[in-house]
Amino acid sequence: MAGYRGFEQKKSKLGTTLAIVGAIHLAIGGGLYWVSQTEWGQNLIKVYKLNAFKKEEPPPPPEKEQEPEPEPPKPEPKPQEAPPPPPPPPAEAPPPPKASDAPTAPPVDANPYAIGKGRGKFAGYTDILTAMIQAKYQQPPDLPDDLEYAVLCELVLDQEGRVLQYRLLTSSGSLLFDQSAVDALAKVTQVRPPPEGMDHTVVIKFFPPA
């Protein structure tokens, strides 16, 4: 049969091809075995095994890039101090006062008995007379202490201060005190000379010393 023959022919060619391939593999295997038995082949096998079983070393890690060192902080600029103010200009000395501008001293009163303001010109002298009469005064023991007594006295003096006359111009209301005041006037016979320009008839107010 034609179909069967074609199949047989293909089968025969396939067997031949397989036989040739098998022979080639046997030849290659025999050659490799022979080569493996040689010194060169043994060295080649050793190199192959070393390369086959050698662990692959991991690649070295990439070098880290060195981070740039931080720059040291810059010192803050110090605030500039304000320049000191210029010294004030020297004060000009005031011109010397003129003779006409100098304050004049108050006139000195030639009267040594003028004391205080708003009093008479010779009030100081009358105060001296009152003190001299009080020094001679002796208060009567029967005179009450809870009352105030005063009388006006009149003295007539000469230029040397001698007492020429004396009398009471008014009464205190107490005859006992009036008499004691007259007794004190009688004991004053010499006083300071009256100042120049003063009337020699002097009226003073007499009262007991405190």
Side-chain angles (χ1 to χ4, degrees), residues 5-108:
R5 290 178 181 178
F7 176 74
E8 289 292 331
Q9 290 178 354
K10 291 181 179 180
K11 185 177 178 180
S12 178
K13 290 181 179 180
L14 179 61
T16 303
T17 303
L18 292 174
I20 294 172
V21 171
I24 292 172
H25 278 84
L26 289 173
I28 292 173
L32 290 174
Y33 178 76
W34 177 80
V35 170
S36 66
Q37 297 301 316
T38 63
E39 184 178 358
W40 179 84
Q42 292 293 329
N43 292 334
L44 183 65
I45 291 172
K46 290 179 180 181
V47 171
Y48 173 76
K49 288 181 178 181
L50 290 174
N51 292 332
F53 293 99
K54 185 179 181 181
K55 294 182 180 181
E56 294 184 359
E57 296 180 359
E63 296 182 359
K64 294 183 179 181
E65 296 182 359
Q66 294 183 354
E67 298 181 357
E69 296 181 359
E71 297 182 359
K74 297 181 180 180
E76 297 183 359
K78 295 182 179 180
Q80 296 182 355
E81 297 181 357
E92 297 181 358
K98 298 179 181 179
S100 59
D101 297 338
T104 57
V108 179

Side-chain angles (χ1 to χ4, degrees), residues 115-199:
I115 302 175
K117 295 182 179 180
R119 303 178 66 190
K121 183 178 180 181
F122 304 105
Y125 183 78
T126 57
D127 290 341
I128 292 175
L129 294 181
T130 302
M132 294 180 70
I133 299 170
Q134 288 179 342
K136 302 294 184 179
Y137 177 78
Q138 291 183 354
Q139 181 174 332
D142 298 335
L143 187 67
D145 294 334
D146 57 346
L147 299 177
E148 294 182 358
Y149 304 96
V151 291
L152 289 180
C153 303
E154 181 183 80
L155 298 175
V156 178
L157 310 176
D158 62 6
Q159 190 173 356
E160 301 298 329
R162 289 186 292 266
V163 180
L164 303 178
Q165 296 180 11
Y166 59 88
R167 63 175 179 149
L168 297 182
L169 297 178
T170 61
S171 173
S172 63
S174 172
L175 294 178
L176 188 58
F177 174 73
D178 293 346
Q179 185 61 46
S180 63
V182 172
D183 294 340
L185 289 174
K187 296 176 182 179
V188 178
T189 58
Q190 180 71 44
V191 296
R192 291 187 181 183
E196 185 178 355
M198 179 180 176
D199 191 355

